[in-house]
Amino acid sequence: AQKITQTQPGMFVQEKEAVTLDCTYDTSDQSYGLFWYKQPSSGEMIFLIYQGSYDEQNATEGRYSLNFQKARKSANLVISASQLGDSAMYFCAMRRTGYSTLTFGKGTMLLVSP
Amino acid sequence: DAGVIQSPRHEVTEMGQEVTLRCKPISGHNSLFWYRQTMMRGLELLIYFNNNVPIDDSGMPEDRFSAKMPNASFSTLKIQPSEPRDSAVYFCASSYHTPGGGKGYQPQHFGDGTRLSIL
């Protein structure tokens, strides 16, 4: 079975600083996809960034980047220059080859302070 | 482009009543997912459809829950009869699933959710 572990229930960061949100995964598959979603207090789930297991480069999307270490089975989200609007719950998720479904972690709550 | 559209946004009803949640996926997407989110259990996949056909409903809690997708642009999740423990946020998501998988994966795009309260 696939498993996503997010060990940080909560993280605090000051505005304009960078923050790393941890995600480790457990799978025996060779091919899979990793996703990060943001859920602000308003409740919607917003797709942020995707990393394929065969991608040679770490994914980047604006201020978001994914620190992908395949051998360690980790896919940490890095947010550079944090903004107050980044305060939200962040979920890491994985999708297996040939399957449509995602396995989600329990999430990390990020609070950005002025 | 319009995203996934869910209705209603909020629903408050009494125990025993029938509840119907609605979802319009993104045009062109061939996979649709229903999730439930609670503080205790996090995000749970209830059921998903591929090309309007239910593929995996193992997450549906019990017979009180049913889901349909009569066409590519509409799905419903029905709870009958509803119980207080069904109170949660229900999300619908859609994506494009490439047959055979491949090395690229399209993300699931979520609707804004329906906040359901059963009194």
Side-chain angles (χ1 to χ4, degrees), chain A residues 31 37 39 43 50 95 97 100, chain B residues 37 45 48 91 97 105 108:
Chain A
S31 179
Y37 286 83
Q39 187 175 37
Y50 156 77
R95 177 179 162 184
T97 300
S100 297
Chain B
Q37 186 179 35
L45 177 67
Y48 87 91
F91 287 103
H97 176 64
Y105 299 90
Q108 291 181 18

Side-chain angles (χ1 to χ4, degrees), chain A residues 14-50:
Chain A
Q14 276 201 312
E15 206 175 2
K16 299 179 185 173
E17 291 185 349
V19 63
T20 298
L21 306 183
D22 294 342
C23 172
T24 58
Y25 56 92
D26 186 17
T27 182
S28 55
D29 290 357
Q30 294 303 308
S31 179
Y32 46 87
L34 296 155
F35 302 80
W36 278 91
Y37 286 83
K38 171 184 178 182
Q39 187 175 37
S41 58
S42 49
E44 68 271 29
M45 291 282 286
I46 303 166
F47 165 68
L48 294 178
I49 194 167
Y50 156 77

Side-chain angles (χ1 to χ4, degrees), chain A residues 3-109:
Chain A
K3 187 177 179 182
I4 299 284
T5 302
Q6 294 181 253
T7 56
Q8 307 151 315
M11 289 284 286
F12 293 90
V13 67
Q14 276 201 312
E15 206 175 2
K16 299 179 185 173
E17 291 185 349
V19 63
T20 298
L21 306 183
D22 294 342
C23 172
T24 58
Y25 56 92
D26 186 17
T27 182
S28 55
D29 290 357
Q30 294 303 308
S31 179
Y32 46 87
L34 296 155
F35 302 80
W36 278 91
Y37 286 83
K38 171 184 178 182
Q39 187 175 37
S41 58
S42 49
E44 68 271 29
M45 291 282 286
I46 303 166
F47 165 68
L48 294 178
I49 194 167
Y50 156 77
Q51 177 83 45
S53 60
Y54 283 106
D55 292 342
E56 294 181 355
Q57 305 255 352
N58 283 345
T60 61
E61 197 70 51
R63 293 185 300 110
Y64 304 109
S65 60
L66 210 152
N67 183 0
F68 180 49
Q69 298 186 48
K70 191 171 182 177
R72 300 179 67 177
K73 294 187 176 178
S74 74
N76 298 339
L77 177 70
V78 180
I79 305 175
S80 63
S82 298
Q83 302 173 355
L84 296 178
D86 294 334
S87 294
M89 195 76 165
Y90 289 81
F91 292 94
C92 179
M94 181 173 69
R95 177 179 162 184
R96 301 171 63 191
T97 300
Y99 292 81
S100 297
T101 58
L102 291 175
T103 301
F104 282 88
K106 294 194 178 300
T108 295
M109 174 66 75

Side-chain angles (χ1 to χ4, degrees), chain B residues 29-48:
Chain B
H29 283 185
N30 60 0
S31 294
L32 183 139
F33 309 82
W34 282 100
Y35 290 89
R36 178 171 68 177
Q37 186 179 35
T38 61
M39 289 292 292
M40 291 295 292
R41 301 171 71 95
L43 263 168
E44 302 174 275
L45 177 67
L46 299 177
I47 185 171
Y48 87 91

Side-chain angles (χ1 to χ4, degrees), chain B residues 25-117:
Chain B
I26 292 172
S27 177
H29 283 185
N30 60 0
S31 294
L32 183 139
F33 309 82
W34 282 100
Y35 290 89
R36 178 171 68 177
Q37 186 179 35
T38 61
M39 289 292 292
M40 291 295 292
R41 301 171 71 95
L43 263 168
E44 302 174 275
L45 177 67
L46 299 177
I47 185 171
Y48 87 91
F49 296 83
N50 195 38
N51 294 321
N52 311 339
V53 176
I55 303 300
D56 183 357
D57 66 354
S58 59
M60 295 286 263
E62 48 200 87
D63 292 346
R64 297 185 297 106
F65 285 69
S66 62
K68 293 183 180 179
M69 192 165 186
N71 57 61
S73 58
F74 185 65
S75 176
T76 59
L77 177 68
K78 191 170 291 188
I79 308 172
Q80 166 64 19
S82 57
E83 296 182 3
R85 61 190 168 124
D86 302 330
S87 298
V89 179
Y90 290 81
F91 287 103
C92 175
S94 71
S95 71
Y96 181 73
H97 176 64
T98 306
K103 291 186 178 180
Y105 299 90
Q106 296 297 316
Q108 291 181 18
H109 293 274
F110 284 71
D112 288 342
T114 294
R115 188 172 295 274
L116 178 64
S117 297

